């Protein structure tokens, strides 16, 4: 009788607003609960909660027997009150992971909320909110592919992220302006669970840097420090903009990456396999996914400016290539690509279409003009 009453009460608690999604990542299937913290979470986040057993003890909502005291704790808390408690002072720039994000980001978000209480005490946010950060990261060499320890300095005041090849070097090897800086976690691509890809523009061409650190918190702190620096830069650059307008511009994941084949501008050259990255309106191609520089970049404008994507290749296309073609029509020429599978072709066309359907922003016309006048 008591267990039936507990089951009914638990179902009532689950029906409350906010308890229908994971408290940590927003996933729509919170089939688990932390009976010590009073939050409902998805299966993926429940596994991360098991990593902090001194703080969180999880149970299945559907499959396990619940004590009356456990149900009462869930009834007393729940996702919305927990959010009010554990997220009192989350900085606008701090990245809130989604269920599709890598394990590293989700785990550190959970630890920051419940284990370190970073969003209840502002002084605990110093590692990423101070406007200055200095430390060593393992950086992949541009030519030899080896990861070597390099000193990095992020200075909001100087408006740059710098790294040095030698510990006592006075001059940096590279200066990356915060204005064009981007960072995105790429654990599978880099081959390290804490791998971060940093990109910036150099002479209006994209430069890639691949780094990691053995400590997951250290890596996420660097990521959020970059976001903080970008946030404060954009606040100055766009003084009338709201936080809601600026936050999506801090860092971005690539729209699509993968191998395709391409041919040259005359369409008579042989098709070559290349790694492609769609970064907003820049389609870049590399010989290797971890190359520092792209072999070439293509600007993808909007349909209002005569950009179109078509399935297939022109009938006159010569040479051997993968079977699933894509033609991108620009005001100046056609670009021909080929995918290995129909599914890849479909995904790439969808990515191109999303960009082409979006009207161009004023500053993107300047980028387009640079591409047209590239030597």
């Amino acid at each position: 009788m008591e267990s039936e009453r507990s089951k009914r009460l638990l179902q009532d608690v689950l029906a409350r607003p906010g308890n229908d999604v994971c408290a940590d990542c927003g996933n729509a299937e919170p089939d688990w609960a932390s009976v010590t913290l009073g939050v409902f979470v998805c299966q993926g986040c429940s596994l991360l909660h098991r990593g902090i057993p001194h703080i969180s003890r999880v149970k299945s909502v559907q499959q396990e027997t619940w004590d009356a005291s456990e149900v009462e704790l869930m009834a007393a808390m729940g996702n919305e009150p927990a959010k009010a408690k554990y997220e009192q002072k989350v900085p606008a720039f701090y990245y809130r992971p989604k269920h599709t994000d890598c394990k590293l980001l989700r785990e550190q978000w959970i630890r920051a909320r419940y284990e370190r209480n970073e969003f209840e005490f502002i002084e605990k946010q110093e590692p990423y909110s101070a406007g200055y950060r200095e430390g060593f990261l393992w950086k992949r060499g541009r030519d030899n592919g080896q990861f070597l320890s390099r000193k990095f300095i992020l200075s909001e005041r100087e408006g740059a992220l710098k790294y040095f090849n030698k510990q006592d070097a006075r001059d940096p090897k590279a200066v990356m302006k915060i204005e064009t800086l981007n960072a995105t976690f790429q654990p599978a691509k880099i081959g390290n669970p804490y791998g971060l890809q940093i990109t910036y523009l150099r002479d209006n061409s994209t430069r890639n840097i691949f780094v990691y650190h053995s400590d997951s918190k250290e890596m996420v702190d660097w990521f959020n420090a970059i976001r903080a620096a970008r946030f404060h830069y954009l606040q100055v650059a766009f003084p009338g903009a709201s936080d809601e307008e600026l936050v999506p511009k801090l860092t971005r994941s690539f729209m699509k990456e993968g191998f395709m084949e391409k041919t040259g501008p005359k369409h008579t050259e042989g098709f070559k396999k290349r790694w492609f990255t769609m970064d907003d309106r820049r389609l870049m191609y590399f010989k290797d996914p971890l190359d520092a520089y792209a072999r070439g970049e293509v600007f993808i404008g909007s349909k209002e400016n005569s950009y179109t994507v078509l399935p297939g290749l022109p009938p006159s296309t010569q040479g051997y290539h993968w079977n699933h073609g894509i033609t991108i029509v620009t005001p100046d020429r056609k670009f021909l690509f080929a995918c290995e599978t129909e599914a890849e072709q479909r995904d790439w066309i969808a990515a191109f279409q999303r960009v082409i359907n979006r009207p161009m922003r004023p500053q993107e016309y300047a980028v387009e003009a640079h591409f047209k006048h590239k030597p």
Side-chain angles (χ1 to χ4, degrees):
M1 194 74 178
E2 185 67 30
S3 65
E4 284 301 315
R5 180 179 169 279
S6 293
K7 271 186 185 177
R8 285 197 303 273
L9 179 56
L10 185 61
Q11 293 306 311
D12 291 343
V13 175
L14 271 168
R16 291 179 187 172
N19 290 347
D20 58 336
V21 296
C22 174
D24 297 324
C25 73
N27 198 356
E29 297 180 357
D31 294 332
W32 292 77
S34 170
V35 296
T36 46
L37 297 170
V39 294
F40 293 95
V41 297
C42 67
Q43 184 178 9
C45 287
S46 77
L47 295 173
L48 300 175
H49 275 256
R50 293 179 195 276
I52 48 171
H54 53 297
I55 289 166
S56 183
R57 185 167 62 85
V58 293
K59 292 188 79 166
S60 169
V61 170
Q62 308 296 340
Q63 298 173 351
E64 295 186 49
T65 305
W66 284 63
D67 298 335
S69 60
E70 293 171 337
V71 178
E72 285 167 10
L73 185 140
M74 299 304 298
M77 184 60 87
N79 289 3
E80 290 299 322
K83 185 174 182 179
K85 177 183 178 181
Y86 294 109
E87 298 181 30
Q88 294 174 38
K89 299 167 182 174
V90 182
F93 61 78
Y94 195 98
Y95 187 79
R96 296 168 177 259
K98 302 177 286 293
H99 69 278
T100 50
D101 282 309
C102 65
K103 176 185 172 184
L104 166 67
L105 278 167
R106 291 183 292 119
E107 179 189 11
Q108 287 304 315
W109 167 245
I110 287 168
R111 288 184 179 274
R113 291 176 84 202
Y114 308 119
E115 185 179 47
R116 298 192 293 265
N117 305 113
E118 286 178 23
F119 311 125
E120 296 174 65
F121 305 100
I122 287 181
E123 62 271 18
K124 294 190 175 184
Q125 299 169 15
E126 183 78 10
Y128 44 81
S129 64
Y132 182 89
R133 185 168 178 82
E134 184 177 320
F136 287 85
L137 299 172
W138 292 94
K139 178 194 166 291
R140 187 179 192 271
R142 189 185 74 182
D143 300 318
N144 59 16
Q146 288 184 308
F147 281 88
L148 298 169
S149 180
R150 294 288 181 255
K151 182 181 178 181
F152 281 77
I153 295 177
L154 175 69
S155 173
E156 201 175 284
R157 185 175 56 81
E158 295 180 26
L161 172 67
K162 302 178 286 188
Y163 81 87
F164 301 80
N165 268 358
K166 295 182 179 178
Q167 191 168 347
D168 56 352
R170 293 182 63 185
D171 298 320
K173 178 67 176 174
V175 177
M176 302 162 251
K177 290 183 179 178
I178 286 170
E179 178 185 357
T180 67
L181 206 57
N182 185 43
T184 178
F185 279 100
Q186 297 270 29
K189 183 174 168 183
I190 295 172
N192 182 282
Y194 311 146
L196 185 72
Q197 180 173 349
I198 296 172
T199 64
Y200 67 102
L201 293 182
R202 182 172 169 179
D203 301 325
N204 209 39
S205 292
T206 304
R207 165 82 158 96
N208 296 320
I209 285 179
F210 302 96
V211 298
Y212 72 86
H213 194 283
S214 57
D215 183 285
S216 58
K217 180 184 183 297
E218 180 81 5
M219 207 65 254
V220 174
D221 283 350
W222 270 104
F223 177 64
N224 280 305
I226 289 170
R227 286 177 60 87
R230 289 267 305 150
F231 182 62
H232 297 136
Y233 161 79
L234 290 170
Q235 282 181 316
V236 175
F238 304 98
S242 66
D243 290 358
E244 289 72 24
E245 291 172 300
L246 296 181
V247 167
K249 297 181 172 71
L250 301 186
T251 54
R252 63 193 178 275
S253 298
F254 301 135
M255 295 182 68
K256 170 94 178 128
E257 287 194 289
F259 283 108
M260 287 194 291
E261 293 181 334
K262 67 169 290 293
T263 187
K266 294 179 182 177
H267 302 168
T268 55
E269 305 89 335
F271 277 76
K272 294 178 180 177
K273 183 180 176 182
R274 294 288 182 258
W275 176 266
F276 283 82
T277 296
M278 187 77 194
D279 183 11
D280 198 31
R281 291 195 184 275
R282 288 174 181 262
L283 176 66
M284 298 168 280
Y285 54 92
F286 306 83
K287 192 170 183 181
D288 183 274
L290 297 178
D291 281 349
Y293 295 100
R295 291 294 180 97
E297 300 189 41
V298 180
F299 181 84
I300 309 291
S302 68
K303 58 186 178 184
E304 288 89 353
N305 300 84
S306 304
Y307 288 82
T308 317
V309 58
L310 304 169
L313 301 173
S316 59
T317 306
Q318 301 175 14
Y320 172 80
H321 53 76
W322 283 339
N323 293 330
H324 306 280
I326 298 174
T327 300
I328 293 182
V329 182
T330 79
D332 300 315
R333 59 170 279 201
K334 291 180 180 179
F335 292 90
L336 307 186
F337 309 113
C339 301
E340 190 171 13
T341 67
E342 189 178 347
E344 275 291 291
Q345 178 199 39
R346 193 166 52 242
D347 289 348
W348 274 109
I349 288 175
F352 294 142
Q353 201 65 62
R354 282 199 301 276
V355 175
I356 287 170
N357 287 343
R358 195 178 73 220
M360 279 168 59
R361 299 189 297 268
Q363 59 267 37
E364 291 174 335
Y365 284 95
V367 180
E368 181 189 41
H370 171 81
F371 272 78
K372 286 183 178 179
H373 295 103
K374 265 188 175 180

